[in-house]
Amino acid sequence: MQQTSTTMRETVNQVWKKRPIIISGPCSAETEEQVLETATRLAKTGRVDMLRAGIWKPRTRPGSFEGIGTKGLPWMQQAKKITGLPVTVEVATAKQVEDALTFDVDVLWIGARTTVNPFSVQEVADALRGVDVPVLIKNPINPDLELWTGAVERVAKAGIKQIGLIHRGFSSYGNTEYRNAPMWHLAIEMKRRNPELLMINDPSHISGRRDILLDVAQKAIDLDMDGLIIESHIDPDKAWSDAKQQVTPERLGEMIGQIVWRKEDINSEEYHAALEKLRQQINHLDDELMQILGQRMKVAEKIGEYKKNNNITILQTNRWNEILERAFQKGEKLNLSKEFITKYFDAVHMESINHQNKIMNS
Ligand code: PEP
Ligand code: MN
């Protein structure tokens, strides 16, 4: 099995320590021309530290483009040669690890659909035994920090020393403004538990669309993430996968330039900087609470429709008592006072009733 050259290994080590790390490239490698042109134009922006491309694509439904396969690996090798930038690809099986390493891929990443499956993660980890290559691990598609932690442990136990995390958001059912809900608090908690690991944010797969990429990237940087991985394509609308969320290399460069990079404050302003960070966390959490409340009301409206069709009253006292009892019990464990829980649920309940009322009496 070939290993990457020493000088490229040193470059990778420098990139690993650089803040912020910017990784970009197409969702999928499609053709040699597309890979090389994307790479060249990304390198020209001077804002990118590493190139990415999916070679094997774990698609939700069969029949869509499932990746160009091993044939695309020499294109990545060539892209590296032309730009001098290290390359990273996603691996999900032992064979893919072997192929990627044969073609000198510098950094491997484990995708969200793989992190959820301990068998797959273990297979990848076993294939990595005795290999010196950095590995990035995406969060699992479901909001489960234990699964994410388990994947880190499996890879670490295989002897991999350089491990990083990628926060790409979590699947949620129903329409939200995101493709994958960021649930920032989970990334924050994962970072708190693993301060030694890199935490890179993936605005592309969180957003699922171009117009909010910058907003998500800025939030990630404000939350002190170590870098960004953002998809870029020479002709985004014609991309064979994830067309809606990709941007041209030039737009990528421009976006990175628009991000406000906040400095770590170590002087007298240390206190204010710390406070500011906490306040931003509060804002993000509040945003999420609002999103969730909006979703809750949508469910209430569905219930309203059901009740209307079956001619049932809006208020059912037993159900309301049950909700409150559950909330008191949970609240106690979370250190939330009974008084607060009562006020909060009264307000939420009233709002739900108003939403249902509109449905039932419209
Ligand atoms: C990707 O990075 O193109 C990808 C498949 O991402 P995820 O594993 O986050 O869905
Ligand atoms: Mn993608």
Side-chain angles (χ1 to χ4, degrees), residues 209-222:
R209 45 189 251 231
R210 266 164 233 146
D211 60 325
I212 55 170
L213 278 179
L214 179 57
D215 189 41
V216 171
Q218 182 69 62
K219 275 191 189 180
I221 294 308
D222 290 346

Side-chain angles (χ1 to χ4, degrees), residues 17-253:
K17 279 186 251 155
K18 180 181 171 276
R19 297 292 176 272
I21 300 183
I22 307 295
I23 305 173
S24 187
C27 176
S28 303
E30 299 167 4
T31 66
E32 183 168 15
E33 297 68 41
Q34 171 246 10
V35 168
L36 297 187
E37 191 182 331
T38 312
T40 314
R41 281 165 55 181
L42 280 173
K44 212 172 145 203
T45 68
R47 305 234 186 231
V48 173
D49 307 301
M50 199 185 297
L51 298 169
R52 64 151 280 156
I55 295 290
W56 302 280
K57 302 301 297 179
R59 305 309 297 280
T60 303
R61 306 275 301 270
S64 46
F65 176 59
E66 297 200 310
I68 204 73
T70 309
K71 166 181 162 191
L73 290 171
W75 309 341
M76 295 302 280
Q77 221 172 8
Q78 188 62 15
K80 165 162 52 172
K81 203 166 159 196
I82 294 173
T83 61
L85 295 172
V87 298
T88 179
V89 307
E90 174 176 353
V91 289
T93 66
K95 177 75 168 71
Q96 290 171 5
V97 170
E98 193 187 317
D99 286 356
L101 294 173
T102 301
F103 286 92
D104 299 332
V105 170
D106 304 288
V107 173
L108 304 177
W109 95 75
I110 296 180
R113 288 164 194 76
T114 305
T115 309
V116 285
N117 184 342
F119 286 141
S120 299
V121 174
Q122 193 56 54
E123 181 182 325
V124 169
D126 289 341
L128 287 170
R129 216 168 280 282
V131 181
D132 173 28
V133 66
V135 178
L136 295 166
I137 304 176
K138 286 200 173 196
N139 67 253
I141 49 180
N142 55 326
D144 183 343
L145 291 189
E146 294 311 309
L147 267 178
W148 201 0
T149 304
V152 171
E153 287 167 350
R154 285 175 202 279
V155 172
K157 275 193 178 165
I160 297 297
K161 297 276 178 291
Q162 286 161 296
I163 299 178
L165 303 167
I166 300 178
H167 168 226
R168 54 77 81 192
F170 303 87
S171 276
S172 62
Y173 200 72
N175 291 333
T176 70
E177 74 180 291
Y178 304 105
R179 175 177 172 192
N180 290 293
M183 303 193 185
W184 295 102
H185 59 287
L186 293 183
I188 292 166
E189 173 59 12
M190 194 65 181
K191 212 166 131 59
R192 193 190 63 76
R193 289 190 200 172
N194 303 280
E196 74 290 359
L197 303 184
L198 266 181
M199 174 69 83
I200 293 174
N201 181 261
D202 177 347
S204 301
H205 292 90
I206 288 176
S207 307
R209 45 189 251 231
R210 266 164 233 146
D211 60 325
I212 55 170
L213 278 179
L214 179 57
D215 189 41
V216 171
Q218 182 69 62
K219 275 191 189 180
I221 294 308
D222 290 346
L223 288 174
D224 205 22
M225 304 258 179
D226 300 308
L228 300 167
I229 178 166
I230 303 181
E231 290 179 345
S232 171
H233 193 284
I234 47 171
D235 191 355
D237 285 332
K238 297 219 178 78
W240 298 1
S241 60
D242 290 353
K244 287 203 189 109
Q245 69 198 32
Q246 303 203 58
V247 290
T248 61
E250 293 68 34
R251 175 65 195 136
L252 186 282

